[in-house]
Amino acid sequence: MPIYLLLIPLCPLLAFVLTLICGRQWGERAHWLPIAAIGVSLVCALLALRDVLAGNIVNADVHTWIASGNLRVTFGFLVDQLTAVMLVVVTSVSTLVHIYSVGYMRGEKGYYRFFAYLGLFSFSMLMLVMGNNFLQLFFGWEAVGLSSYLLIGFYYEKDSASDAGKKAFIVNRFGDFGFLLGLFCIFTIFGSLHYADVLPQAGMLEGMTFTLCGYTVSAPTLVCLLLFCGAVGKSAQLPLHVWLPDAMEGPTPVSALIHAATMVTAGVFMLARCNALFALSPTALAVITVVGAVTTLFAATIALTQTDIKRVVAYSTISQLAYMFIACGVGAYGAGVFHLFTHAFFKALLFLGCGSVILGMHHEQDMRSMGGLGKYMPITSATFLLASLSIAGVPGLAGFFSKDEILLMAFNAGTFTGYLAWGVGVLVAFMTAFYSFRLYFSVFTGQFRGTEHQREHLHESPRVVTVPLLVLAVGAVASGWLGIPHVLGGSNHWAEFLAPVTGHPHVHVSGAVELGLMAVSVAAGFAGIGLAWLMYCRSPELPGKVAGAFPGLYQLFSRKYWVDEIYVACLVRPTLWLADNLLLGVVDTRGIEGVVNGVPRAIGRLSTSLRRIQDGQVAHYLTWLAGGAAALLLVLQLGFFS
């Protein structure tokens, strides 16, 4: 196995350890080692991509990790087409986020600690995508959860940030519990956790059943739904989406890293990696499709009314991830990974663009206090516009190709859930274009609505911030060119490249139908852009009138369907009540403390009574002696020892 494959995850790990130990002494130079480390990982990832393109697939064990009975798990690497794509995404976006963070985080308390955590985050995600077995996948899965907790709660002295970090960690435990049960099932059935032993033999699951509580359950469906539970948590799908918007409490570079290249994409990667298992369960695939369709619409409606610029983009992430789940649900795993790839660039650009705006506005995040920033921040404005056009699906840009591939494959599935997902996807394409340009027009066009102090200090961000924006803008435009479909004269190199891992679904629809579907989605996108221009540029009084005309609907969207409040009422408060009244009041106070404190008290009372036997008084000794003799005579008289 080439040594450079080991360097890909180990360089960020080494940077994490050394920066955490020595970073305080390095001060504002603490970023150099983490940036150099992730840069080396990027170069090595490109070397890995080169080798995969040449046909060299690596599946090698490095070290035996666990050997216990029939369980043997190794520390090893699988570098194939899917892994190569993820390596390029993770290392490239992470490198740009590291560089951007030098400008964004300069002067922050805990500067070195932030860069150390970035290294840990990158290492965790790289281990997740490179592992050749399910347990190593789970190790990376949990490690990115830990990293997100540390980075989201980076401003730990701020209650909202520390609470958001805990929320992300706890909510993901619900999904990960199901994921772990799925791994138990896989080991029980196959006797191994290595991909090479499980995925090629997935067919043995067909027809197998489990009996649970008297019900017969299909083994493929049970295993796939349990694995999907983990994906729902990590990729923030309904009903475990609530942690992702709150993750905005962390520094903006963290938001870009979590939403674009790490953690949230882990669920999509896992579905694509395990496609051989999911192909055995039409029920599980239908569930994935429906969850994706419902989530993409749910998140898009919320994004329509948010006023915090980062939260608009956060709900956009949930919606776009759901697009990827729709693709996986209809069996088009390559299309889902394609959208993951293009989304990484335009979504990282949107988040880092938001960060540039926040720097310029002195950490103001309410877009109602912005406006007209385009003339003060031309580079940020131009790159943000490109990202908005890309996510809106404007032809020629990256988002157009990947989004339309998903919509085509949903329609091509020919099932009720496929048609449903296509219809919802087109509607969400309209909403995505609308809320993206609602954000762009509100921030960069019109009159400035902030304070005079903010106006006086408005300026473009430094080059260490704008250069990553320009690089990401290239990806937001050109990354989709790898998958230009045949109907537009391309060769769809993307589908051909990933086919050995994800398969190549057959397209049943004609070229004319494909062009018609494409025209519908493009028209929906342009309609969304046009409506946003009408409401926020030409007639800025319209949003207020619309909100006033539909107050109930506006409240529903702006309050995020009260999902957090429902969780608090149904889960949090009952749990706290049980903890206070049952666990603390009964189990702890009366049970545990009753035993812990009651036994010493009983011993104390007994010892106090027995102490009188030897109190130094001769009369007491004679009394005890006479009493003892009388008791002994009574025992003998009654014949207890006869």
Side-chain angles (χ1 to χ4, degrees), residues 292-596:
V294 173
T295 302
T296 193
L297 181 61
F298 170 86
T301 56
I302 296 175
L304 297 175
T305 58
Q306 298 302 298
T307 56
D308 184 311
I309 57 174
K310 288 175 65 176
R311 287 185 182 270
V312 173
V313 184
Y315 279 103
S316 170
T317 297
I318 298 173
S319 183
Q320 295 301 306
L321 286 167
Y323 259 109
M324 302 172 204
F325 277 91
I326 289 173
C328 294
V330 298
Y333 302 96
V337 177
F338 187 27
H339 198 53
L340 183 157
F341 180 71
T342 61
H343 175 265
F345 296 103
F346 61 70
K347 186 51 60 70
L349 179 54
L350 286 171
F351 267 114
L352 297 187
C354 287
S356 180
V357 170
I358 292 169
L359 281 179
M361 290 291 296
H362 294 273
H363 297 280
E364 174 64 65
Q365 295 184 199
D366 192 333
M367 63 189 191
R368 293 171 297 185
S369 299
M370 301 178 186
L373 299 190
K375 57 178 173 288
Y376 300 100
M377 310 180 75
I379 297 176
T380 301
S381 176
T383 54
F384 203 95
L385 176 60
L386 284 175
S388 300
L389 290 168
S390 187
I391 195 175
V394 170
L397 304 185
F400 162 75
F401 296 106
S402 58
K403 178 204 68 177
D404 273 69
E405 183 76 7
I406 292 174
L407 293 177
L408 168 65
M409 298 312 297
F411 190 90
N412 178 70
T415 62
F416 172 76
T417 55
Y419 291 134
L420 172 68
W422 176 81
V424 171
V426 171
L427 176 60
V428 170
F430 164 77
M431 291 182 175
T432 301
F434 175 79
Y435 66 64
S436 297
F437 276 86
R438 167 181 175 261
L439 176 58
Y440 178 79
F441 291 141
S442 297
V443 173
F444 294 103
T445 66
Q447 298 297 316
F448 182 71
R449 298 180 297 275
T451 65
E452 191 60 32
H453 175 76
Q454 289 172 328
R455 183 200 299 273
E456 291 173 356
H457 292 83
L458 276 174
H459 58 82
E460 184 59 271
S461 298
R463 281 183 296 177
V464 73
V465 170
T466 57
V467 168
L469 297 182
L470 293 169
V471 175
L472 286 169
V474 175
V477 172
S479 60
W481 298 351
L482 296 172
I484 299 176
H486 297 285
V487 72
L488 294 180
S491 300
N492 204 345
H493 297 296
W494 182 272
E496 298 299 330
F497 177 67
L498 278 182
V501 179
T502 61
H504 200 333
H506 180 67
V507 178
H508 306 292
V509 301
S510 66
V513 173
E514 185 176 349
L515 287 173
L517 296 174
M518 197 177 295
V520 171
S521 65
V522 170
F526 278 117
I529 296 173
L531 182 61
W533 173 81
L534 176 65
M535 294 181 67
Y536 293 93
C537 291
R538 181 165 183 177
S539 304
E541 73 281 357
L542 272 179
K545 291 181 178 180
V546 172
F550 303 97
L553 201 59
Y554 181 81
Q555 282 293 315
L556 181 67
F557 295 164
S558 64
R559 295 297 298 273
K560 299 163 283 187
Y561 293 82
W562 293 282
V563 173
D564 281 291
E565 288 80 358
I566 292 171
Y567 279 164
V568 169
C570 297
L571 293 176
V572 177
R573 287 177 183 166
T575 300
L576 293 176
W577 184 89
L578 286 174
D580 288 337
N581 293 277
L582 180 60
L583 296 180
L584 179 60
V586 178
V587 177
D588 186 50
T589 303
R590 299 183 183 179
I592 298 175
E593 290 191 12
V595 173
V596 172

Side-chain angles (χ1 to χ4, degrees), residues 240-307:
L240 300 180
H241 68 285
V242 291
W243 68 269
L244 194 58
D246 286 5
M248 298 304 97
E249 293 293 338
T252 300
V254 174
S255 304
L257 196 57
I258 290 177
H259 288 238
T262 63
M263 189 154 176
V264 296
T265 61
V268 179
F269 167 79
M270 186 270 292
L271 294 185
R273 174 63 73 198
C274 300
N275 66 84
L277 294 173
F278 285 91
L280 300 174
S281 176
T283 301
L285 291 178
V287 170
I288 294 170
T289 305
V290 171
V291 169
V294 173
T295 302
T296 193
L297 181 61
F298 170 86
T301 56
I302 296 175
L304 297 175
T305 58
Q306 298 302 298
T307 56

Side-chain angles (χ1 to χ4, degrees), residues 50-68:
R50 180 204 63 185
D51 287 354
V52 170
L53 286 170
N56 300 320
I57 306 301
V58 175
N59 186 2
D61 294 330
V62 178
H63 176 70
T64 298
W65 182 10
I66 300 173
S68 177

